[in-house]
Amino acid sequence: MKKFMEEFKAFAMRGNVLDMAVGVVIGGAFGKITTSLVNDIIMPLISILTGGVDFSAWKWVLKEAVMEGSEVVDPEIAVNFGNLISVILDFIIIAFAVFCMVKAINKMHDKLSKPEPEAEETPEEEPEPTKEELLLAEIRDLLKEQSK
């Protein structure tokens, strides 16, 4: 059991596991912010455009509720597509924010990893071949002609 606990501790204390835990906590908080943005700002604006209908109340009733007086005997069965649309908008906003963040991080990473441009160096001209090199080239060319 002691070995198991040591292995678990080594696993849990790895850097990437801790980073992932921080990401999950921040993601949960960011999710609450976007949910509030969708429910409290975007959906009321959409409701105005649709004639003041409560967007989250949009549903397709499959079976009406059975009532006896004010008591519900059999609850209604409905497909709440207004809530689904709200959650889809929530996802799109989160995905867009994450895309923008990753794009900014990649851009910053590219700037930091790129070597700074140095003053443009003029390419040095190849030095003229020496007399020995010219002579060796002539010999090579003559040998090629003889072997043909």
Side-chain angles (χ1 to χ4, degrees):
M1 185 69 170
K2 186 175 181 181
K3 184 180 177 187
F4 177 79
M5 292 304 288
E6 288 174 7
E7 287 179 23
F8 176 73
K9 182 179 176 184
F11 167 77
M13 291 303 164
R14 272 197 232 153
N16 56 356
V17 173
L18 293 174
D19 292 344
M20 186 177 67
V22 169
V24 167
V25 170
I26 290 174
F30 187 70
K32 289 180 182 179
I33 291 169
T34 57
T35 300
S36 176
L37 175 70
V38 168
N39 292 339
D40 301 332
I41 296 174
I42 294 174
M43 290 306 167
L45 294 174
I46 291 175
S47 291
I48 288 173
L49 295 174
T50 59
V53 177
D54 180 16
F55 195 75
S56 62
W58 285 7
K59 59 185 171 183
W60 177 32
V61 178
L62 301 174
K63 181 182 167 198
E64 294 286 335
V66 177
M67 306 282 287
E68 276 187 20
S70 63
E71 188 177 320
V72 177
V73 176
D74 196 12
E76 113 180 323
I77 299 173
V79 176
N80 297 317
F81 63 90
N83 189 39
L84 174 66
I85 293 171
S86 175
V87 171
I88 289 171
L89 282 173
D90 202 14
F91 169 77
I92 290 170
I93 291 170
I94 291 172
F96 181 72
V98 169
F99 169 76
C100 291
M101 184 177 69
V102 168
K103 186 171 177 146
I105 289 171
N106 286 341
K107 192 173 188 180
M108 182 178 62
H109 179 68
D110 288 346
K111 280 186 177 180
L112 292 176
S113 65
K114 229 183 238 182
E116 293 197 21
E118 297 175 12
E120 287 189 33
E121 299 175 13
T122 56
E124 294 182 21
E125 292 183 24
E126 234 178 82
E128 291 290 321
T130 62
K131 289 181 181 182
E132 290 90 15
E133 291 173 337
L134 290 172
L135 185 58
L136 287 170
E138 277 182 50
I139 294 170
R140 181 195 64 212
D141 294 341
L142 288 172
L143 288 172
K144 280 184 183 177
E145 286 180 25
Q146 285 181 352
S147 64
K148 287 184 184 179

